[in-house]
Amino acid sequence: MASQNILGYIVIDGTEGQMRGAALASDMRGIPVDFRYTDPVRPTRLERILYGSSLDTYLKEELMLESLLDSIEVNPQIWLCNDADLLEPLKVTGKVKAVMLSESPHVPLEAKGQLETTSEPGVFILQAAEKGAPVMIEFPDGTRQDEIQQAAQILTEAEKTMDILEPFARIQKALASLSSGGN
Amino acid sequence: MNLRKSLARKLFRDINIHRLDEAFMTDLIPTHKVRDSGLETRRITPSVKINISKFPGLAQKREFAVRIKSVNFMTKTVTTRRFKIKRFTKQDIRVKTLQKFNMKTWSGYKKIIAMPQERSNRLKFIKTRPQVLNNEMILAWYGPIVDGAVIKLALNKQRGTLLVWYNPRSRQFNAKGVYLIRRLGLGSKPEWRWV
């Protein structure tokens, strides 16, 4: 069962021939409640040939995502990612609302909590912060209107006490630090 | 006879080739020229799919690889678009199981709990700014910050961001913002002002 007031963040990072991922569950202040990360996976040349173009999808969407979601010990009320490829599998595997969050170049909307549609289906501009730029939020196909409204409410509520985009950068830093051997 | 059928017949009598991918075709293009005979040879290590029913014991494995260790083509019957292959020698076909990707997850809680959160300067989004004295200048606004939970604040002067360390045991949820104000004049230090 999903825990109220817990946000889940997923980052899967693939650079320099290796891939690794992490999941952070935080409270509404951005304070971590749980944090799990994977070992880096470095496919060999043979594996790249054999799996072909499906390799990244397999690693990201099946292997890493499922491992991370299985290992995390709290169930967030919403999963947030910054990678469009993760959105659909996150909704299916995470079994709760899933949203892709990104920065928006849009000028601030008039009111906090305001949600504006864009030309792309499933993509919205949300003015989550009272003082700050709006964010771009994208939903998986088939997300109902009431789920969109609920997600927007959760994010607006969280933005009162934290920067909802900030944990992505923190996770990246943690992964970089872990890769370089920091404990 | 097309390349696929020809290769299948000559190389893999017991193996049904379902796919020869582009990499295989590329591998056939010679890169080494033998000057004396004018013969062009090239070692290939193509990836192919095989009919696992021909290999008892493999059928239960989810993933395995077929590696053709070394094959020299020398036959007149196989012709590619750009050149003729005059002879081939079947040398070695290996079937080995692929190791499954090893995936472990670890708890990094201790690592991430020690890391600060970072707030960027949102002064440009503040519509109503506080009144300041003539010799004061507002440099930045950082927020939201739960001031009752803060252990430490540090200004990242390079990035112009504020680093915030929270006490994870804190029960405070009341968020505020903080202005960074500079007093003009010799020796005066910037001042934090909570709002």
Side-chain angles (χ1 to χ4, degrees), chain A residues 109-180:
Chain A
L109 305 179
E110 280 180 17
K112 189 176 74 168
Q114 191 176 336
L115 192 65
E116 227 174 58
T117 54
T118 66
S119 55
E120 285 183 65
V123 181
F124 299 82
I125 305 284
L126 172 67
Q127 184 63 45
E130 191 180 345
K131 296 162 182 150
V135 289
M136 188 102 76
I137 57 174
E138 184 172 344
F139 293 89
D141 287 344
T143 306
R144 297 191 315 266
Q145 193 59 37
D146 62 314
E147 290 176 317
I148 292 170
Q149 290 296 340
Q150 282 169 11
Q153 271 177 13
I154 293 167
L155 295 173
T156 307
E157 189 61 29
E159 185 63 50
K160 285 181 186 170
T161 42
M162 67 182 283
D163 176 346
I164 54 174
L165 285 171
E166 183 274 341
F168 290 120
R170 200 163 8 130
I171 295 170
Q172 294 277 13
K173 279 183 196 164
L175 283 177
S177 169
L178 289 161
S179 293
S180 62

Side-chain angles (χ1 to χ4, degrees), chain B residues 45-108:
Chain B
T45 51
S47 68
V48 294
K49 286 189 176 176
I50 64 163
N51 183 349
I52 58 170
S53 63
K54 304 281 182 187
F55 295 88
L58 272 184
Q60 286 79 30
K61 308 265 183 191
R62 264 189 73 190
E63 294 160 350
F64 56 88
V66 176
R67 173 171 281 181
I68 296 146
K69 195 181 175 192
S70 174
V71 180
N72 293 318
F73 286 91
M74 294 174 176
T75 177
K76 287 178 181 176
T77 58
V78 181
T79 307
T80 70
R81 218 181 312 165
R82 292 174 54 183
F83 63 99
K84 257 185 185 176
I85 297 170
K86 293 182 178 171
R87 282 181 296 166
F88 84 82
T89 313
K90 189 167 95 174
Q91 290 189 341
D92 187 13
I93 296 178
R94 282 184 181 180
V95 177
K96 67 167 193 173
T97 54
L98 258 183
Q99 264 194 332
K100 284 193 79 179
F101 285 106
N102 189 19
M103 176 57 55
K104 278 186 180 174
T105 55
W106 307 90
S107 172

Side-chain angles (χ1 to χ4, degrees), chain A residues 7 9 11 22-35 37 82 161-178, chain B residues 108-109 111-119 144 159 162-166 168:
Chain A
L7 307 178
Y9 286 86
V11 169
L24 168 73
S26 86
D27 70 10
M28 300 290 263
R29 300 168 295 181
I31 296 177
V33 177
D34 195 3
F35 178 64
Y37 65 95
N82 57 359
T161 42
M162 67 182 283
D163 176 346
I164 54 174
L165 285 171
E166 183 274 341
F168 290 120
R170 200 163 8 130
I171 295 170
Q172 294 277 13
K173 279 183 196 164
L175 283 177
S177 169
L178 289 161
Chain B
Y109 181 75
K111 175 87 193 169
I112 206 153
I113 202 74
M115 291 177 67
Q117 295 187 32
E118 196 166 15
R119 296 283 181 270
R159 291 167 50 87
L162 185 67
L163 302 175
V164 185
W165 283 264
Y166 280 131

